[in-house]
Amino acid sequence: MNYQVGEIVQGVVTRILSYGAMMVFEDETMGLLHISEVSNSYIRNIYRYLRIGAVYQVKVLSVDNEKKFLKVSLKALTEEEKKMNIGLNERNQALIDSKLLISKVDNWTKIELDKMNKGE
């Protein structure tokens, strides 16, 4: 794991929670996109902003190397950087191996759903 604060990275949303979204990045590092870091506006329904399986560019806010965990932000992106997210899921991903991530999303989603069903 070699992430730097302020770096822009691409990740896939694997789970959406009331307080934000869990994301996974190229090297299987996990991350949290907190609801307060999605938009400058109040978010009543996070499902209107994000969807499971979608790829987003986000800015790294903090790095926990021990846990291989990132805290990331959408709202910290500049307007120019935000424009790069438009249509991101419709075009070929040049910066990450999206086939690797997408092939794992179903399994990660199943794991998270199993956890929810078990009450974890």
Side-chain angles (χ1 to χ4, degrees):
M1 186 169 103
N2 196 17
Y3 295 98
Q4 302 295 319
V5 172
E7 179 180 3
I8 297 172
V9 296
Q10 290 183 1
V12 176
V13 173
T14 59
R15 183 176 181 191
I16 298 177
L17 307 156
S18 61
Y19 57 86
M22 298 304 297
M23 297 184 75
V24 66
F25 301 93
E26 184 177 8
D27 60 354
E28 298 189 28
T29 296
M30 297 299 292
L32 172 65
L33 174 59
H34 191 271
I35 194 169
S36 66
E37 293 297 332
V38 174
S39 172
N40 287 319
S41 306
Y42 174 76
I43 296 178
R44 185 177 313 257
N45 182 352
I46 193 167
Y47 291 94
R48 289 185 168 187
Y49 290 80
L50 304 172
R51 63 186 168 91
I52 293 174
V55 178
Y56 296 96
Q57 281 197 311
V58 292
K59 190 169 279 190
V60 177
L61 298 179
S62 69
V63 179
D64 184 334
N65 287 317
E66 287 181 27
K67 296 181 181 178
K68 282 188 72 172
F69 192 81
L70 304 175
K71 288 186 182 174
V72 297
S73 175
L74 272 172
K75 76 178 188 180
L77 297 173
T78 65
E79 288 306 312
E80 177 105 359
E81 293 164 342
K82 286 178 185 176
K83 289 178 185 175
M84 295 179 76
N85 271 328
I86 298 171
L88 189 58
N89 293 294
E90 286 78 33
R91 65 179 187 257
N92 187 10
Q93 303 302 310
L95 299 177
I96 62 171
D97 182 0
S98 60
K99 291 179 185 175
L100 170 66
L101 291 174
I102 292 169
S103 70
K104 295 184 179 194
V105 168
D106 289 338
N107 187 45
W108 289 323
T109 303
K110 181 185 177 310
I111 291 168
E112 294 301 326
L113 288 172
D114 289 345
K115 285 181 185 177
M116 286 174 47
N117 291 334
K118 291 178 184 175
E120 292 180 17

